[in-house]
Amino acid sequence: MKPLIIGIAGGTGSGKTTLVNRLKEQFGEDISVLSHDSYYAAHHDLTLEERQGLNYDHPSAFDNEQLVEDLLTLRDGEAVACPVYDYTIYDRTDKTVQVEPNKVIIVDGILLFENEALRELMDIKIYVDTDADVRILRRIMRDVRQRGRSLDSVVEQYLTTVKPMHEQFVEPSKRYADVIVPEGGENLVALMMLIQRIAYHIEHGDIVSRQ
């Protein structure tokens, strides 16, 4: 059985992770997850100050070639060594996490649908659409509490790169989505529909062949 590859995209703080966690709670070991954030390009040659000044919300910030390669490897039934990114040092570490092939592969990230090669690997593309005010509040709480950022740095980054990049790249990419889900994992109707689709694949396999 070929895996069902699901892409979950949407703006920062939109609820992508909540949706992924709800699906993991439902299906457990039948799902493997890759985060686009893990594939931020490495910048070991730059100083911390230089890394802090990079635009991490632009498509060029990601090593999409490696993510495509890893998805193809998982689709072929082989495990991959997923990079580990450290937000506190603004760089990829020398550690990796082994991700096993599975019946369902979920990839989440803000700019997944901006990249054509990634889109072509996805059987289902879901865009999580959430109000901008809610998203910035969630981002502030997450970055200050979990990523060691100051409030001032989060606000400055939002105004200088996150907001303009969202308007230029993230928001337009939702036209590629098969399903647009308001509020992510909090949308129980959409969640149940997705659960039913995944459950069917796990039990019966996918009757729709890839193009």
Side-chain angles (χ1 to χ4, degrees):
M1 177 193 298
K2 288 289 187 181
L4 182 70
I5 300 179
I6 302 173
I8 299 179
T12 181
S14 59
K16 300 183 297 298
T17 301
T18 301
L19 180 57
V20 171
N21 288 340
R22 292 285 178 88
L23 295 174
K24 287 169 63 179
E25 291 170 4
Q26 181 71 27
F27 295 105
E29 296 181 356
D30 287 325
I31 287 181
S32 292
V33 178
L34 290 177
S35 172
H36 202 188
D37 284 7
S38 298
Y39 291 82
Y40 275 123
H43 293 289
H44 304 322
D45 56 323
L46 302 181
T47 66
L48 175 59
E49 185 177 359
E50 289 172 331
R51 294 196 299 268
Q52 288 173 331
L54 296 176
N55 182 354
Y56 291 95
D57 294 274
H58 190 276
S60 63
F62 297 90
D63 185 357
N64 287 319
E65 289 185 4
Q66 184 178 351
L67 178 53
V68 168
E69 182 179 335
D70 285 354
L71 282 173
L72 288 170
T73 300
L74 287 170
R75 194 176 72 177
D76 290 340
E78 299 178 23
V80 300
C82 178
V84 175
Y85 185 82
D86 188 337
Y87 296 97
T88 64
I89 63 172
Y90 296 79
D91 204 1
R92 189 184 294 189
T93 70
D94 57 359
K95 300 176 181 178
T96 59
V97 174
Q98 182 163 304
V99 177
E100 300 292 338
N102 220 326
K103 297 176 182 177
V104 179
I105 308 294
I106 295 180
V107 194
D108 76 289
I110 62 173
L111 287 165
L112 283 181
F113 300 162
E114 188 277 336
N115 186 275
E116 182 178 3
L118 287 174
R119 292 198 307 269
E120 290 179 349
L121 290 175
M122 298 172 190
D123 300 295
I124 301 175
K125 297 182 291 295
I126 299 169
Y127 185 92
V128 180
D129 200 11
T130 302
D131 184 79
D133 292 340
V134 175
R135 290 191 292 103
I136 179 55
L137 289 174
R138 288 176 178 171
R139 170 133 184 170
I140 289 172
M141 293 172 62
R142 181 198 67 193
D143 284 6
V144 171
R145 293 178 178 178
Q146 301 176 18
R147 299 182 178 177
R149 307 287 169 81
S150 69
L151 176 60
D152 288 345
S153 70
V154 176
V155 172
E156 180 180 3
Q157 184 181 22
Y158 181 81
L159 294 175
T160 57
T161 62
V162 177
K163 186 176 185 293
M165 293 301 97
H166 178 88
E167 294 171 350
Q168 184 175 353
F169 295 108
V170 182
E171 184 74 18
S173 76
K174 73 178 179 182
R175 70 180 183 271
Y176 298 113
D178 300 306
V179 180
I180 296 175
V181 177
E183 297 299 330
E186 304 303 325
N187 188 324
L188 297 183
V189 173
L191 178 64
M192 291 307 301
M193 292 175 64
L194 187 55
I195 286 174
Q196 290 174 5
R197 176 65 184 87
I198 292 173
Y200 183 90
H201 174 83
I202 291 173
E203 184 174 354
H204 302 287
D206 199 345
I207 61 173
V208 180
S209 62
R210 288 183 176 83
Q211 300 298 316

